[in-house]
Amino acid sequence: MGKGLVRIIGVGSYAPEKIYTNQDLEKMVDTTDEWIVTRSGIRERHIAAEDEAASDLGAKAARKAIEDAGIKPSEVDLIITATISPDMMFPSTACLIQNKLGLTDTAAFDINAACSGFIYGITIAEQFLKNDVYKTVLFIGTEALSKITNWKDRQTCVLLGDGAGAAVLRKENGENGILSSYLSSNGSYSDLLLMPGGGSRIPATVDTVRRNLHYFTMKGNETFKVAVPKLYDSAIEGLKRCGMTVGDVDLFIPHQANIRIIQAVARKLKIPMEKMFVNIEKYGNTSAATIPIALDEAKREGRIKEGDIIEFIGFGAGFTWGSVVVRW
Ligand code: UT7
């Protein structure tokens, strides 16, 4: 095994053109801009076109990440896609993205860790790279959640959005790269956040469609109460695993589900909100795509400098949660 650390050498993101503002949603369900902003921090979200699916958004983000990394698409050895809104049950969205990138001979698979998709995905990428199995891994978090959103359910439709973020990873010599990672889950919470229909438990029938079982369903308040302590624990555990403390972190990039969750975690960590990257107001919750989109924006806004300590923290359906600490 060669020496070195696994680095993110390129990032990119893409969000569809169409935007729904809170005012647009006021016309669709019984809600108000004021409720959405104060309860979630969201002002607008991007919505995929009728003919746009997760692989379309993902391929666009992937191309940008490949360009940012300064490599040729043919240098990618493995494609990992995290999504809960795949184009279809199978084949994997990773294979569909591979095809869109014009590649014909790479490993490709999907993972489902819901909103923790980036944390799980780059941790998996790290294992392959660390052990010299592959040289270049492309990770993509992509979601077309609008396609599995019940646009009559005000409890969920105001929260969700579409988008994709991608990262290219390689092992390089030096001290910059992934310093630690922490993954966890507890499936006893699986009934709080789920899409019940369409799998082998409740296969699609006319009746399941009538009963709205093919939509994103969430017990929001109960989910909120678990999300805050788990995100906090993830932040602490990730830092412990590389011998660091909260004070060492230059920027936290948390999953963007609700501004109040991010604020509560910041309070528990005793850090100012300036240390938390937030862009939920523009995108809503894009599940596996929130963290890579946020990373791309943070980088483009100059919020990340070489050598900075960045901690990514995620939480999502499963429930799954975890963190990754990186020296950029
Ligand atoms: O990404 C994976 C993880 N996801 C999360 O972590 C999300 C966690 N949950 C949340 O972010 C929040 O729980 C929500 C934003 C979903 C909801 O906020 P809340 O403060 O927990 O509100 P609530 O569900 O307790 O609802 C409060 C009230 C209810 O009315 P009553 O029963 O008090 O009369 C709801 O019916 O707000 C009502 N309500 C709405 N009102 C206007 C729910 N949705 C809406 C809406 N517009 N869109």
Side-chain angles (χ1 to χ4, degrees):
M1 230 180 350
K3 283 207 308 244
L5 289 179
V6 173
R7 289 188 83 171
I8 297 174
I9 62 160
V11 292
S13 65
Y14 174 78
E17 265 170 49
K18 186 159 77 177
I19 288 175
Y20 279 177
T21 62
N22 290 349
Q23 287 71 24
D24 293 327
L25 291 175
E26 283 177 351
K27 293 178 202 133
M28 298 162 71
V29 287
D30 179 17
T31 192
T32 59
D33 173 51
E34 203 248 328
W35 191 96
I36 304 171
V37 172
T38 53
R39 296 289 178 128
S40 73
I42 301 165
R43 293 183 186 275
E44 55 187 40
R45 67 289 289 147
H46 292 254
I47 302 292
E50 216 169 303
D51 61 354
E52 240 177 350
S55 71
D56 301 302
L57 311 183
K60 286 187 172 149
R63 278 194 202 97
K64 292 189 188 179
I66 288 169
E67 198 188 311
D68 188 48
I71 64 161
K72 292 197 290 286
S74 59
E75 293 178 64
V76 171
D77 308 303
L78 164 67
I79 301 173
I80 303 173
T81 300
T83 183
I84 56 165
S85 48
D87 287 32
M88 50 196 90
M89 286 274 277
F90 67 89
S92 71
T93 300
C95 282
L96 302 175
I97 292 174
Q98 184 215 40
N99 184 40
K100 289 191 161 75
L101 296 177
L103 302 175
T104 52
D105 186 16
T106 71
F109 61 84
D110 284 3
I111 61 162
N112 179 344
C115 306
S116 308
F118 178 84
I119 306 293
Y120 272 69
I122 66 165
T123 300
I124 297 167
E126 189 202 5
Q127 310 314 307
F128 283 113
L129 293 164
K130 201 159 66 179
N131 292 302
D132 299 321
V133 178
Y134 296 115
K135 215 173 136 246
T136 310
V137 179
L138 169 63
F139 166 84
I140 304 134
T142 183
E143 301 288 5
L145 295 180
S146 63
K147 314 281 180 165
I148 56 164
T149 298
N150 181 351
W151 289 101
K152 294 195 172 116
D153 174 16
R154 70 175 184 173
Q155 303 202 22
T156 52
C157 76
V158 303
L159 304 172
L160 306 174
D162 299 340
V168 175
L169 298 100
R170 264 189 185 168
K171 184 162 76 176
E172 287 185 355
N173 285 327
E175 299 193 330
N176 298 30
I178 297 177
L179 303 179
S180 75
S181 145
Y182 162 64
L183 306 178
S184 192
S185 68
N186 183 344
S188 71
Y189 291 113
S190 55
D191 58 339
L192 295 184
L193 181 47
L194 72 163
M195 185 173 103
S200 55
R201 174 68 52 198
I202 308 175
T205 64
V206 171
D207 183 54
T208 63
V209 173
R210 271 199 207 107
R211 287 160 56 211
N212 293 327
L213 298 181
H214 302 277
Y215 289 130
F216 182 112
T217 311
M218 175 170 69
K219 295 203 174 87
N221 203 273
E222 289 163 66
T223 302
F224 192 111
K225 286 180 190 146
V226 187
V228 173
K230 291 304 182 195
L231 283 164
Y232 170 79
D233 291 348
S234 299
I236 297 296
E237 184 59 34
L239 291 167
K240 205 160 88 185
R241 289 181 180 201
C242 58
M244 291 196 172
T245 61
V246 174
D248 294 318
V249 179
D250 294 291
L251 188 67
F252 288 89
I253 303 189
H255 170 52
Q256 313 278 313
N258 188 321
I259 185 79
R260 290 186 296 133
I261 293 178
I262 299 173
Q263 287 163 339
V265 174
R267 273 196 301 275
K268 274 171 83 78
L269 290 170
K270 300 192 175 59
I271 55 162
M273 275 302 280
E274 293 74 64
K275 292 253 173 184
M276 284 281 188
F277 189 83
V278 178
N279 65 358
I280 191 170
E281 66 282 358
K282 290 185 288 180
Y283 297 98
N285 181 351
T286 59
S287 192
T290 65
I291 297 179
I293 292 174
L295 168 61
D296 186 41
E297 287 206 339
K299 206 178 145 236
R300 280 189 284 116
E301 287 172 18
R303 299 274 304 269
I304 301 178
K305 297 185 303 297
E306 172 122 9
D308 277 358
I309 300 296
I310 312 294
E311 186 169 28
F312 304 101
I313 51 175
F315 175 85
F319 290 147
T320 57
W321 59 90
S323 60
V324 172
V325 180
V326 169
R327 181 179 290 110
W328 195 260

